[in-house]
Amino acid sequence: MDEPLAQPSDLARRLAAVLVVVVLALVVAFVGTNLYRLSDPYVREVLALTSNPERGEAIFQINCAGCHGRGADGNVGPSLHNLSQRKSEFDIIHQVTSGKTPPMPEFQPTSQEMADLLGYLETL
C-alpha cells in the first residue's frame, strides 16, 4: 500500500520550521559578522572617536583628491558622494586601510585621522 500523503497542515508546519531555521541562521551570520568586524581594536577606536569633518576634508585633499577629485566627484577613482549610504563605516575603513582595491594604495591614517575622514565622507 502506498503511504498516505502528508496533510497540508503537516507540510505547513514543516515549511514554517525550515523557514525559522533559515531566518535564525541568517541572523546568527549577520550578528557574527558584525561582532567579528568590531573585534578589530583599530576599528573600535575609530568608531569611538568624535570626528572633525573639516580636518577630514584636509586629509582628503592631501591623500585622496588626486584620484577622487577635489570635490570627491570622481576622477581616476570613483565619486565618493553618498558613499556612507552605500558602504558601512567598517567597509570604508577597510577600503582605505587595506590597499586591496588597486589602484588605490594602502593608507594607514591614525585613528583620529580616520575618524575625521569618515566624518568628512559623511558630508558628501
mmCIF file with all atom_site columns, all heavy atoms in Angstrom, residues 37-58:
data_model
loop_
_atom_site.group_PDB
_atom_site.id
_atom_site.type_symbol
_atom_site.label_atom_id
_atom_site.label_alt_id
_atom_site.label_comp_id
_atom_site.label_asym_id
_atom_site.label_entity_id
_atom_site.label_seq_id
_atom_site.pdbx_PDB_ins_code
_atom_site.Cartn_x
_atom_site.Cartn_y
_atom_site.Cartn_z
_atom_site.occupancy
_atom_site.B_iso_or_equiv
_atom_site.pdbx_formal_charge
_atom_site.auth_seq_id
_atom_site.auth_comp_id
_atom_site.auth_asym_id
_atom_site.auth_atom_id
_atom_site.pdbx_PDB_model_num
ATOM 1   N N   . ARG A 1 37 ? 33.791 42.074 12.887 1.00 0.00 ? 37 ARG A N   1
ATOM 2   C CA  . ARG A 1 37 ? 34.298 43.354 12.389 1.00 0.00 ? 37 ARG A CA  1
ATOM 3   C C   . ARG A 1 37 ? 34.656 44.282 13.537 1.00 0.00 ? 37 ARG A C   1
ATOM 4   O O   . ARG A 1 37 ? 35.663 44.981 13.493 1.00 0.00 ? 37 ARG A O   1
ATOM 5   C CB  . ARG A 1 37 ? 33.253 44.021 11.502 1.00 0.00 ? 37 ARG A CB  1
ATOM 6   C CG  . ARG A 1 37 ? 33.056 43.343 10.186 1.00 0.00 ? 37 ARG A CG  1
ATOM 7   C CD  . ARG A 1 37 ? 31.949 44.000 9.410  1.00 0.00 ? 37 ARG A CD  1
ATOM 8   N NE  . ARG A 1 37 ? 31.934 43.522 8.044  1.00 0.00 ? 37 ARG A NE  1
ATOM 9   C CZ  . ARG A 1 37 ? 31.118 43.975 7.120  1.00 0.00 ? 37 ARG A CZ  1
ATOM 10  N NH1 . ARG A 1 37 ? 30.242 44.917 7.410  1.00 0.00 ? 37 ARG A NH1 1
ATOM 11  N NH2 . ARG A 1 37 ? 31.166 43.502 5.903  1.00 0.00 ? 37 ARG A NH2 1
ATOM 12  N N   . LEU A 1 38 ? 33.822 44.321 14.561 1.00 0.00 ? 38 LEU A N   1
ATOM 13  C CA  . LEU A 1 38 ? 34.067 45.212 15.684 1.00 0.00 ? 38 LEU A CA  1
ATOM 14  C C   . LEU A 1 38 ? 35.120 44.690 16.646 1.00 0.00 ? 38 LEU A C   1
ATOM 15  O O   . LEU A 1 38 ? 35.484 45.370 17.584 1.00 0.00 ? 38 LEU A O   1
ATOM 16  C CB  . LEU A 1 38 ? 32.753 45.488 16.419 1.00 0.00 ? 38 LEU A CB  1
ATOM 17  C CG  . LEU A 1 38 ? 31.747 46.300 15.608 1.00 0.00 ? 38 LEU A CG  1
ATOM 18  C CD1 . LEU A 1 38 ? 30.432 46.422 16.362 1.00 0.00 ? 38 LEU A CD1 1
ATOM 19  C CD2 . LEU A 1 38 ? 32.286 47.668 15.250 1.00 0.00 ? 38 LEU A CD2 1
ATOM 20  N N   . SER A 1 39 ? 35.627 43.483 16.404 1.00 0.00 ? 39 SER A N   1
ATOM 21  C CA  . SER A 1 39 ? 36.673 42.958 17.277 1.00 0.00 ? 39 SER A CA  1
ATOM 22  C C   . SER A 1 39 ? 38.032 43.582 16.956 1.00 0.00 ? 39 SER A C   1
ATOM 23  O O   . SER A 1 39 ? 38.958 43.473 17.738 1.00 0.00 ? 39 SER A O   1
ATOM 24  C CB  . SER A 1 39 ? 36.755 41.426 17.174 1.00 0.00 ? 39 SER A CB  1
ATOM 25  O OG  . SER A 1 39 ? 37.253 41.053 15.888 1.00 0.00 ? 39 SER A OG  1
ATOM 26  N N   . ASP A 1 40 ? 38.141 44.257 15.819 1.00 0.00 ? 40 ASP A N   1
ATOM 27  C CA  . ASP A 1 40 ? 39.381 44.918 15.439 1.00 0.00 ? 40 ASP A CA  1
ATOM 28  C C   . ASP A 1 40 ? 39.560 46.159 16.314 1.00 0.00 ? 40 ASP A C   1
ATOM 29  O O   . ASP A 1 40 ? 38.738 47.071 16.277 1.00 0.00 ? 40 ASP A O   1
ATOM 30  C CB  . ASP A 1 40 ? 39.307 45.310 13.958 1.00 0.00 ? 40 ASP A CB  1
ATOM 31  C CG  . ASP A 1 40 ? 40.572 45.961 13.444 1.00 0.00 ? 40 ASP A CG  1
ATOM 32  O OD1 . ASP A 1 40 ? 41.315 46.588 14.237 1.00 0.00 ? 40 ASP A OD1 1
ATOM 33  O OD2 . ASP A 1 40 ? 40.824 45.857 12.239 1.00 0.00 ? 40 ASP A OD2 1
ATOM 34  N N   . PRO A 1 41 ? 40.659 46.229 17.097 1.00 0.00 ? 41 PRO A N   1
ATOM 35  C CA  . PRO A 1 41 ? 40.846 47.368 18.010 1.00 0.00 ? 41 PRO A CA  1
ATOM 36  C C   . PRO A 1 41 ? 40.921 48.715 17.283 1.00 0.00 ? 41 PRO A C   1
ATOM 37  O O   . PRO A 1 41 ? 40.434 49.720 17.786 1.00 0.00 ? 41 PRO A O   1
ATOM 38  C CB  . PRO A 1 41 ? 42.157 47.072 18.726 1.00 0.00 ? 41 PRO A CB  1
ATOM 39  C CG  . PRO A 1 41 ? 42.524 45.680 18.393 1.00 0.00 ? 41 PRO A CG  1
ATOM 40  C CD  . PRO A 1 41 ? 41.704 45.240 17.234 1.00 0.00 ? 41 PRO A CD  1
ATOM 41  N N   . TYR A 1 42 ? 41.522 48.735 16.098 1.00 0.00 ? 42 TYR A N   1
ATOM 42  C CA  . TYR A 1 42 ? 41.622 49.981 15.324 1.00 0.00 ? 42 TYR A CA  1
ATOM 43  C C   . TYR A 1 42 ? 40.222 50.471 14.950 1.00 0.00 ? 42 TYR A C   1
ATOM 44  O O   . TYR A 1 42 ? 39.899 51.640 15.134 1.00 0.00 ? 42 TYR A O   1
ATOM 45  C CB  . TYR A 1 42 ? 42.472 49.750 14.070 1.00 0.00 ? 42 TYR A CB  1
ATOM 46  C CG  . TYR A 1 42 ? 42.578 50.953 13.154 1.00 0.00 ? 42 TYR A CG  1
ATOM 47  C CD1 . TYR A 1 42 ? 43.422 52.017 13.465 1.00 0.00 ? 42 TYR A CD1 1
ATOM 48  C CD2 . TYR A 1 42 ? 41.836 51.025 11.979 1.00 0.00 ? 42 TYR A CD2 1
ATOM 49  C CE1 . TYR A 1 42 ? 43.521 53.120 12.625 1.00 0.00 ? 42 TYR A CE1 1
ATOM 50  C CE2 . TYR A 1 42 ? 41.931 52.120 11.134 1.00 0.00 ? 42 TYR A CE2 1
ATOM 51  C CZ  . TYR A 1 42 ? 42.775 53.161 11.462 1.00 0.00 ? 42 TYR A CZ  1
ATOM 52  O OH  . TYR A 1 42 ? 42.871 54.251 10.631 1.00 0.00 ? 42 TYR A OH  1
ATOM 53  N N   . VAL A 1 43 ? 39.382 49.579 14.452 1.00 0.00 ? 43 VAL A N   1
ATOM 54  C CA  . VAL A 1 43 ? 38.021 49.951 14.060 1.00 0.00 ? 43 VAL A CA  1
ATOM 55  C C   . VAL A 1 43 ? 37.246 50.438 15.272 1.00 0.00 ? 43 VAL A C   1
ATOM 56  O O   . VAL A 1 43 ? 36.562 51.474 15.211 1.00 0.00 ? 43 VAL A O   1
ATOM 57  C CB  . VAL A 1 43 ? 37.294 48.769 13.376 1.00 0.00 ? 43 VAL A CB  1
ATOM 58  C CG1 . VAL A 1 43 ? 35.823 49.084 13.149 1.00 0.00 ? 43 VAL A CG1 1
ATOM 59  C CG2 . VAL A 1 43 ? 37.972 48.399 12.070 1.00 0.00 ? 43 VAL A CG2 1
ATOM 60  N N   . ARG A 1 44 ? 37.345 49.726 16.377 1.00 0.00 ? 44 ARG A N   1
ATOM 61  C CA  . ARG A 1 44 ? 36.634 50.142 17.603 1.00 0.00 ? 44 ARG A CA  1
ATOM 62  C C   . ARG A 1 44 ? 37.065 51.537 18.022 1.00 0.00 ? 44 ARG A C   1
ATOM 63  O O   . ARG A 1 44 ? 36.243 52.377 18.394 1.00 0.00 ? 44 ARG A O   1
ATOM 64  C CB  . ARG A 1 44 ? 36.882 49.148 18.732 1.00 0.00 ? 44 ARG A CB  1
ATOM 65  C CG  . ARG A 1 44 ? 36.001 47.938 18.682 1.00 0.00 ? 44 ARG A CG  1
ATOM 66  C CD  . ARG A 1 44 ? 35.949 47.178 19.997 1.00 0.00 ? 44 ARG A CD  1
ATOM 67  N NE  . ARG A 1 44 ? 37.182 47.148 20.744 1.00 0.00 ? 44 ARG A NE  1
ATOM 68  C CZ  . ARG A 1 44 ? 38.074 46.149 20.720 1.00 0.00 ? 44 ARG A CZ  1
ATOM 69  N NH1 . ARG A 1 44 ? 37.863 45.107 19.962 1.00 0.00 ? 44 ARG A NH1 1
ATOM 70  N NH2 . ARG A 1 44 ? 39.162 46.194 21.446 1.00 0.00 ? 44 ARG A NH2 1
ATOM 71  N N   . GLU A 1 45 ? 38.373 51.786 17.974 1.00 0.00 ? 45 GLU A N   1
ATOM 72  C CA  . GLU A 1 45 ? 38.881 53.095 18.389 1.00 0.00 ? 45 GLU A CA  1
ATOM 73  C C   . GLU A 1 45 ? 38.388 54.190 17.437 1.00 0.00 ? 45 GLU A C   1
ATOM 74  O O   . GLU A 1 45 ? 37.941 55.243 17.882 1.00 0.00 ? 45 GLU A O   1
ATOM 75  C CB  . GLU A 1 45 ? 40.409 53.089 18.423 1.00 0.00 ? 45 GLU A CB  1
ATOM 76  C CG  . GLU A 1 45 ? 40.989 54.372 18.981 1.00 0.00 ? 45 GLU A CG  1
ATOM 77  C CD  . GLU A 1 45 ? 42.498 54.326 19.145 1.00 0.00 ? 45 GLU A CD  1
ATOM 78  O OE1 . GLU A 1 45 ? 43.094 53.233 19.051 1.00 0.00 ? 45 GLU A OE1 1
ATOM 79  O OE2 . GLU A 1 45 ? 43.076 55.399 19.345 1.00 0.00 ? 45 GLU A OE2 1
ATOM 80  N N   . VAL A 1 46 ? 38.461 53.943 16.139 1.00 0.00 ? 46 VAL A N   1
ATOM 81  C CA  . VAL A 1 46 ? 37.992 54.932 15.157 1.00 0.00 ? 46 VAL A CA  1
ATOM 82  C C   . VAL A 1 46 ? 36.528 55.267 15.405 1.00 0.00 ? 46 VAL A C   1
ATOM 83  O O   . VAL A 1 46 ? 36.139 56.436 15.438 1.00 0.00 ? 46 VAL A O   1
ATOM 84  C CB  . VAL A 1 46 ? 38.199 54.421 13.712 1.00 0.00 ? 46 VAL A CB  1
ATOM 85  C CG1 . VAL A 1 46 ? 37.460 55.307 12.715 1.00 0.00 ? 46 VAL A CG1 1
ATOM 86  C CG2 . VAL A 1 46 ? 39.678 54.345 13.365 1.00 0.00 ? 46 VAL A CG2 1
ATOM 87  N N   . LEU A 1 47 ? 35.708 54.257 15.579 1.00 0.00 ? 47 LEU A N   1
ATOM 88  C CA  . LEU A 1 47 ? 34.269 54.471 15.736 1.00 0.00 ? 47 LEU A CA  1
ATOM 89  C C   . LEU A 1 47 ? 33.912 55.115 17.071 1.00 0.00 ? 47 LEU A C   1
ATOM 90  O O   . LEU A 1 47 ? 32.837 55.708 17.196 1.00 0.00 ? 47 LEU A O   1
ATOM 91  C CB  . LEU A 1 47 ? 33.520 53.156 15.551 1.00 0.00 ? 47 LEU A CB  1
ATOM 92  C CG  . LEU A 1 47 ? 33.641 52.531 14.154 1.00 0.00 ? 47 LEU A CG  1
ATOM 93  C CD1 . LEU A 1 47 ? 32.901 51.207 14.105 1.00 0.00 ? 47 LEU A CD1 1
ATOM 94  C CD2 . LEU A 1 47 ? 33.159 53.480 13.072 1.00 0.00 ? 47 LEU A CD2 1
ATOM 95  N N   . ALA A 1 48 ? 34.813 55.035 18.049 1.00 0.00 ? 48 ALA A N   1
ATOM 96  C CA  . ALA A 1 48 ? 34.553 55.636 19.361 1.00 0.00 ? 48 ALA A CA  1
ATOM 97  C C   . ALA A 1 48 ? 34.911 57.121 19.395 1.00 0.00 ? 48 ALA A C   1
ATOM 98  O O   . ALA A 1 48 ? 34.478 57.841 20.292 1.00 0.00 ? 48 ALA A O   1
ATOM 99  C CB  . ALA A 1 48 ? 35.330 54.886 20.442 1.00 0.00 ? 48 ALA A CB  1
ATOM 100 N N   . LEU A 1 49 ? 35.694 57.584 18.427 1.00 0.00 ? 49 LEU A N   1
ATOM 101 C CA  . LEU A 1 49 ? 36.161 58.968 18.424 1.00 0.00 ? 49 LEU A CA  1
ATOM 102 C C   . LEU A 1 49 ? 35.133 59.913 17.809 1.00 0.00 ? 49 LEU A C   1
ATOM 103 O O   . LEU A 1 49 ? 34.329 59.517 16.971 1.00 0.00 ? 49 LEU A O   1
ATOM 104 C CB  . LEU A 1 49 ? 37.475 59.069 17.637 1.00 0.00 ? 49 LEU A CB  1
ATOM 105 C CG  . LEU A 1 49 ? 38.666 58.346 18.260 1.00 0.00 ? 49 LEU A CG  1
ATOM 106 C CD1 . LEU A 1 49 ? 39.821 58.282 17.266 1.00 0.00 ? 49 LEU A CD1 1
ATOM 107 C CD2 . LEU A 1 49 ? 39.104 59.045 19.538 1.00 0.00 ? 49 LEU A CD2 1
ATOM 108 N N   . THR A 1 50 ? 35.201 61.154 18.212 1.00 0.00 ? 50 THR A N   1
ATOM 109 C CA  . THR A 1 50 ? 34.387 62.200 17.606 1.00 0.00 ? 50 THR A CA  1
ATOM 110 C C   . THR A 1 50 ? 35.148 62.729 16.403 1.00 0.00 ? 50 THR A C   1
ATOM 111 O O   . THR A 1 50 ? 36.337 63.039 16.509 1.00 0.00 ? 50 THR A O   1
ATOM 112 C CB  . THR A 1 50 ? 34.130 63.338 18.615 1.00 0.00 ? 50 THR A CB  1
ATOM 113 O OG1 . THR A 1 50 ? 33.468 62.792 19.752 1.00 0.00 ? 50 THR A OG1 1
ATOM 114 C CG2 . THR A 1 50 ? 33.289 64.438 18.003 1.00 0.00 ? 50 THR A CG2 1
ATOM 115 N N   . SER A 1 51 ? 34.464 62.829 15.280 1.00 0.00 ? 51 SER A N   1
ATOM 116 C CA  . SER A 1 51 ? 35.150 63.271 14.066 1.00 0.00 ? 51 SER A CA  1
ATOM 117 C C   . SER A 1 51 ? 35.091 64.782 13.909 1.00 0.00 ? 51 SER A C   1
ATOM 118 O O   . SER A 1 51 ? 34.203 65.445 14.425 1.00 0.00 ? 51 SER A O   1
ATOM 119 C CB  . SER A 1 51 ? 34.538 62.600 12.839 1.00 0.00 ? 51 SER A CB  1
ATOM 120 O OG  . SER A 1 51 ? 33.233 63.068 12.631 1.00 0.00 ? 51 SER A OG  1
ATOM 121 N N   . ASN A 1 52 ? 36.059 65.283 13.162 1.00 0.00 ? 52 ASN A N   1
ATOM 122 C CA  . ASN A 1 52 ? 36.093 66.684 12.784 1.00 0.00 ? 52 ASN A CA  1
ATOM 123 C C   . ASN A 1 52 ? 36.094 66.711 11.253 1.00 0.00 ? 52 ASN A C   1
ATOM 124 O O   . ASN A 1 52 ? 37.139 66.495 10.634 1.00 0.00 ? 52 ASN A O   1
ATOM 125 C CB  . ASN A 1 52 ? 37.334 67.361 13.350 1.00 0.00 ? 52 ASN A CB  1
ATOM 126 C CG  . ASN A 1 52 ? 37.421 68.822 12.982 1.00 0.00 ? 52 ASN A CG  1
ATOM 127 O OD1 . ASN A 1 52 ? 37.039 69.226 11.878 1.00 0.00 ? 52 ASN A OD1 1
ATOM 128 N ND2 . ASN A 1 52 ? 37.950 69.621 13.889 1.00 0.00 ? 52 ASN A ND2 1
ATOM 129 N N   . PRO A 1 53 ? 34.946 66.921 10.630 1.00 0.00 ? 53 PRO A N   1
ATOM 130 C CA  . PRO A 1 53 ? 34.861 66.877 9.170  1.00 0.00 ? 53 PRO A CA  1
ATOM 131 C C   . PRO A 1 53 ? 35.787 67.869 8.465  1.00 0.00 ? 53 PRO A C   1
ATOM 132 O O   . PRO A 1 53 ? 36.259 67.587 7.361  1.00 0.00 ? 53 PRO A O   1
ATOM 133 C CB  . PRO A 1 53 ? 33.394 67.190 8.870  1.00 0.00 ? 53 PRO A CB  1
ATOM 134 C CG  . PRO A 1 53 ? 32.676 66.754 10.109 1.00 0.00 ? 53 PRO A CG  1
ATOM 135 C CD  . PRO A 1 53 ? 33.615 67.080 11.233 1.00 0.00 ? 53 PRO A CD  1
ATOM 136 N N   . GLU A 1 54 ? 36.064 69.040 9.081  1.00 0.00 ? 54 GLU A N   1
ATOM 137 C CA  . GLU A 1 54 ? 36.980 69.991 8.446  1.00 0.00 ? 54 GLU A CA  1
ATOM 138 C C   . GLU A 1 54 ? 38.388 69.405 8.348  1.00 0.00 ? 54 GLU A C   1
ATOM 139 O O   . GLU A 1 54 ? 39.045 69.522 7.314  1.00 0.00 ? 54 GLU A O   1
ATOM 140 C CB  . GLU A 1 54 ? 37.021 71.324 9.205  1.00 0.00 ? 54 GLU A CB  1
ATOM 141 C CG  . GLU A 1 54 ? 35.741 72.131 9.083  1.00 0.00 ? 54 GLU A CG  1
ATOM 142 C CD  . GLU A 1 54 ? 34.711 71.763 10.139 1.00 0.00 ? 54 GLU A CD  1
ATOM 143 O OE1 . GLU A 1 54 ? 35.087 71.242 11.214 1.00 0.00 ? 54 GLU A OE1 1
ATOM 144 O OE2 . GLU A 1 54 ? 33.509 71.972 9.870  1.00 0.00 ? 54 GLU A OE2 1
ATOM 145 N N   . ARG A 1 55 ? 38.849 68.778 9.423  1.00 0.00 ? 55 ARG A N   1
ATOM 146 C CA  . ARG A 1 55 ? 40.165 68.101 9.359  1.00 0.00 ? 55 ARG A CA  1
ATOM 147 C C   . ARG A 1 55 ? 40.094 66.943 8.379  1.00 0.00 ? 55 ARG A C   1
ATOM 148 O O   . ARG A 1 55 ? 41.051 66.676 7.659  1.00 0.00 ? 55 ARG A O   1
ATOM 149 C CB  . ARG A 1 55 ? 40.594 67.609 10.746 1.00 0.00 ? 55 ARG A CB  1
ATOM 150 C CG  . ARG A 1 55 ? 41.101 68.724 11.637 1.00 0.00 ? 55 ARG A CG  1
ATOM 151 C CD  . ARG A 1 55 ? 41.829 68.199 12.861 1.00 0.00 ? 55 ARG A CD  1
ATOM 152 N NE  . ARG A 1 55 ? 41.098 67.169 13.567 1.00 0.00 ? 55 ARG A NE  1
ATOM 153 C CZ  . ARG A 1 55 ? 40.713 67.227 14.826 1.00 0.00 ? 55 ARG A CZ  1
ATOM 154 N NH1 . ARG A 1 55 ? 41.007 68.270 15.561 1.00 0.00 ? 55 ARG A NH1 1
ATOM 155 N NH2 . ARG A 1 55 ? 40.050 66.243 15.378 1.00 0.00 ? 55 ARG A NH2 1
ATOM 156 N N   . GLY A 1 56 ? 38.961 66.251 8.344  1.00 0.00 ? 56 GLY A N   1
ATOM 157 C CA  . GLY A 1 56 ? 38.785 65.152 7.393  1.00 0.00 ? 56 GLY A CA  1
ATOM 158 C C   . GLY A 1 56 ? 38.890 65.631 5.959  1.00 0.00 ? 56 GLY A C   1
ATOM 159 O O   . GLY A 1 56 ? 39.471 64.954 5.109  1.00 0.00 ? 56 GLY A O   1
ATOM 160 N N   . GLU A 1 57 ? 38.347 66.804 5.678  1.00 0.00 ? 57 GLU A N   1
ATOM 161 C CA  . GLU A 1 57 ? 38.452 67.348 4.320  1.00 0.00 ? 57 GLU A CA  1
ATOM 162 C C   . GLU A 1 57 ? 39.910 67.647 3.973  1.00 0.00 ? 57 GLU A C   1
ATOM 163 O O   . GLU A 1 57 ? 40.359 67.372 2.855  1.00 0.00 ? 57 GLU A O   1
ATOM 164 C CB  . GLU A 1 57 ? 37.613 68.609 4.166  1.00 0.00 ? 57 GLU A CB  1
ATOM 165 C CG  . GLU A 1 57 ? 37.670 69.163 2.753  1.00 0.00 ? 57 GLU A CG  1
ATOM 166 C CD  . GLU A 1 57 ? 36.790 70.379 2.543  1.00 0.00 ? 57 GLU A CD  1
ATOM 167 O OE1 . GLU A 1 57 ? 36.282 70.961 3.519  1.00 0.00 ? 57 GLU A OE1 1
ATOM 168 O OE2 . GLU A 1 57 ? 36.612 70.745 1.362  1.00 0.00 ? 57 GLU A OE2 1
ATOM 169 N N   . ALA A 1 58 ? 40.664 68.190 4.934  1.00 0.00 ? 58 ALA A N   1
ATOM 170 C CA  . ALA A 1 58 ? 42.082 68.465 4.682  1.00 0.00 ? 58 ALA A CA  1
ATOM 171 C C   . ALA A 1 58 ? 42.843 67.160 4.418  1.00 0.00 ? 58 ALA A C   1
ATOM 172 O O   . ALA A 1 58 ? 43.671 67.091 3.499  1.00 0.00 ? 58 ALA A O   1
ATOM 173 C CB  . ALA A 1 58 ? 42.691 69.204 5.876  1.00 0.00 ? 58 ALA A CB  1
#
